[in-house]
Amino acid sequence: MSWDGIVFIHLPDQSEAVPAGRISLLEEGLQSIGSTFGYGARYLKRPNAIPVDPVSLPLSSLSGEEQLYEPPAGLALFGAIRDATPDLWGRRVIEAKLKVPPNSVPESTYLLNAGTHRFGALDFRESIRSASAAGLLPPLNDLQYLLEAADRVQQGLPIPTRLEMLFQVASLGGARPKALVSHDGRQFLAKFPAKNDPFDIPAVERACLELARASGLNVPQTDLVRLADGRNVMLIERFDRAVLPDGSFSRKHCVSALTLLGKHEQESPASSYSEIAQVISDRGVSGHVQEDRAELYARVAFNILISNDDDHLRNHAFIWHPPGKAWRLSPLYDVVPRPQVFHERRLHLSVGPQGRNATLTNLFEARGSFGLLKPDAIAIIERVSAAAREWRTHLESAGVSPAQCDLVQSAFRRPQDIGLDEITKTR
Ligand SMILES: Nc1ncnc2c1ncn2[C@@H]1O[C@H](COP(=O)(O)OP(=O)(O)OP(=O)(O)O)[C@@H](O)[C@H]1O
Ligand SMILES: [Mg+2]
């Protein structure tokens, strides 16, 4: 069976989307077998046209009638299209909306039902004349209801009509229960507590994002909301949306590092930060490559220092930069410390010559892959270490209780235990 539809895209600074081309998904039962995409001739003539997928859908002068593309070998979907479809939590919400069991519908059903608030600038419609699925984001005041609806999805319970606003705002990826809200004329991702959380993850994640900001990293605005039932919800401003002068929103085309590297999900654990640094050199914005590689290097130092070992290739993203007609590293998101007893730790992605070993020494030895000379690498590692050393003060001032700090304490490394002193001695 195949599903045919139209890929729409929001071009820079536009609140309305335009058709970019025609997609066909080949499906056998629930299995995605392959897909094809062809650009529309009118889209290719637009001076501000953006490649729908950075790796496998280059803009050419040939429209779909002459040039039909397929994803890279091994992938059934184009990476950018995969990024615009929820992978875990959002699927559970779509299933609740359709009243079907988990993983019981084909990919095209998830793709169509993720709605207009999905990640990045793409949208999918049945035909060129189909209207956009309308829907305003719920306000911050609805957070308690959204959390109640999310609790019900986690428990496999039906969603009553009064809580159905969750259905249109659960379209981002990732496993944690989440929703989208508008606040002060801007759009935020709200990350909820989940059952079986080992500590107050929303409060700790938000505090760690603020710790990252204190380390000099590029972090969206964040906030923590304590609901009437005492539970905390983290807010992070969406970096894939921008407010236009009339108060409406434009969307930024975004892809995961998984997509920019043209990889399959299962290849993530065998991938490395040097590959991301390389793709920044290859596909980054001229004049900003070194800035983005240095930012990535600092993020690895931060992940090592707080034992954030869920740093897979979907937890790094890139944003299309219209003037440079290329990709820039997105602001930071999804940083959660993982408490553990062992001294030897690993990140998800490979760091340097000692593979995934989570030490500053390993990162220091990898500086060449990030285009960094010794003094610059030392300065970054020292800067991030200095902020991370003060983690407890930062967490407490961000509202994390001393008891919660005790629960996560073992995640935070003493920089001197993982190589800082030896690194600074090489100066
Ligand atoms: N501030 C943001 N602006 C825009 N998109 C975001 C933002 N933060 C996260 N996202 C998108 O939403 C997805 C899910 O967010 P996040 O990674 O924080 O959730 P998660 O459920 O904790 O993920 P995981 O399953 O990796 O633990 C991300 O992969 C990214 O595509
Ligand atoms: Mg994530």
Side-chain angles (χ1 to χ4, degrees):
M1 256 208 22
S2 94
W3 176 83
D4 295 311
I6 306 293
V7 179
F8 278 69
I9 189 164
H10 290 254
L11 291 173
D13 304 324
Q14 303 296 313
S15 57
E16 295 300 323
V18 298
R22 189 175 292 277
I23 186 162
S24 187
L25 301 186
L26 309 174
E27 295 170 333
E28 259 177 37
L30 299 183
Q31 246 345 62
S32 294
I33 305 297
S35 41
T36 57
F37 177 88
Y39 282 109
R42 276 189 64 192
Y43 182 71
L44 290 173
K45 290 202 186 92
R46 293 178 185 274
N48 53 353
I50 302 175
V52 168
D53 182 276
V55 173
S56 43
L57 297 176
L59 292 173
S60 78
S61 53
L62 298 177
S63 70
E65 274 149 34
E66 293 138 340
Q67 170 124 42
L68 215 50
Y69 291 102
E70 286 186 50
L75 290 190
L77 275 183
F78 298 95
I81 291 180
R82 175 185 58 190
D83 289 339
T85 319
D87 51 345
L88 292 159
W89 167 252
R91 290 185 186 237
R92 302 296 85 83
V93 179
I94 290 170
E95 290 149 1
K97 173 178 157 189
L98 302 177
K99 301 190 172 58
V100 297
N103 300 316
S104 63
V105 291
E107 195 62 33
S108 53
T109 305
Y110 295 113
L111 190 67
L112 262 183
N113 279 281
T116 181
H117 298 297
R118 69 182 77 226
F119 183 59
L122 299 183
D123 199 10
F124 301 87
R125 305 189 196 162
E126 298 270 12
S127 90
I128 206 142
R129 273 172 293 279
S130 317
S132 142
L136 288 179
L137 289 188
L140 196 59
N141 280 346
D142 282 355
L143 216 44
Q144 182 78 62
Y145 301 120
L146 290 164
L147 177 53
E148 197 185 318
D151 286 343
R152 294 183 70 90
V153 170
Q154 286 186 81
Q155 292 161 31
L157 296 173
I159 304 296
T161 318
R162 70 181 176 88
L163 298 179
E164 280 182 354
M165 70 276 230
L166 181 71
F167 292 154
Q168 58 160 317
V169 295
S171 51
L172 296 190
R176 173 156 294 274
K178 55 176 74 63
L180 297 163
V181 289
S182 74
H183 177 49
D184 267 351
R186 294 186 295 161
Q187 298 195 4
F188 290 83
L189 164 62
K191 294 184 75 177
F192 295 141
K195 59 175 186 207
N196 305 329
D197 276 350
F199 51 89
D200 184 352
I201 291 191
V204 170
E205 178 175 354
R206 189 271 173 148
C208 284
L209 284 164
E210 291 306 317
L211 182 63
R213 193 192 312 287
S215 314
L217 299 182
N218 175 14
V219 182
Q221 190 189 325
T222 73
D223 209 344
L224 189 69
V225 180
R226 180 177 282 261
L227 295 177
D229 68 4
R231 289 190 288 173
N232 284 320
V233 175
M234 176 192 120
L235 298 182
I236 180 166
E237 185 167 11
R238 292 188 72 169
F239 53 71
D240 58 345
R241 294 292 180 271
V243 188
L244 293 170
D246 66 357
S248 65
F249 290 92
S250 66
R251 302 169 194 216
K252 300 184 185 176
H253 192 30
C254 294
V255 295
S256 63
L258 192 65
T259 289
L260 206 59
L261 289 170
K263 294 206 179 199
H264 192 281
E265 191 96 56
Q266 281 151 5
E267 294 176 277
S268 181
S271 303
S272 68
Y273 278 106
S274 6
E275 288 173 82
I276 306 184
Q278 184 61 47
V279 90
I280 294 175
S281 305
D282 296 344
R283 296 179 180 272
V285 175
S286 143
H288 292 286
V289 165
Q290 206 36 47
E291 189 184 335
D292 284 358
R293 289 200 297 187
E295 167 82 15
L296 180 68
Y297 194 74
R299 289 183 190 181
V300 190
F302 189 74
N303 288 342
I304 291 172
L305 284 157
I306 74 161
S307 306
N308 172 31
D309 59 5
D310 194 27
D311 52 333
H312 52 77
L313 287 176
R314 277 183 191 265
N315 276 340
H316 301 275
F318 288 84
I319 306 183
W320 177 255
H321 185 260
K325 290 195 180 294
W327 299 89
R328 289 213 60 185
L329 192 62
S330 81
L332 184 69
Y333 59 92
D334 205 2
V335 266
V336 184
R338 198 159 76 84
Q340 47 204 288
V341 286
F342 297 110
H343 177 74
E344 277 194 18
R345 300 179 188 186
R346 286 163 185 269
L347 295 189
H348 175 99
L349 295 176
S350 182
V351 172
Q354 283 95 49
R356 294 164 51 213
N357 274 5
T359 63
L360 297 174
T361 316
N362 195 15
L363 178 62
F364 184 56
E365 287 171 10
R367 61 190 178 276
S369 320
F370 295 76
L372 291 168
L373 296 174
K374 200 190 271 187
D376 300 318
I378 296 177
I380 293 173
I381 290 173
E382 278 186 326
R383 183 189 86 210
V384 180
S385 298
R389 216 184 249 122
E390 304 299 321
W391 67 270
R392 189 179 267 270
T393 317
H394 277 275
L395 264 62
E396 287 190 5
S397 66
V400 180
S401 69
Q404 288 290 327
C405 285
D406 289 345
L407 284 179
V408 293
Q409 171 159 7
S410 65
F412 293 89
R413 322 283 331 249
R414 289 182 349 143
Q416 61 269 37
D417 291 347
I418 48 174
L420 181 65
D421 295 345
E422 293 71 31
I423 291 168
T424 49
K425 268 189 220 137
T426 65
R427 211 191 310 257

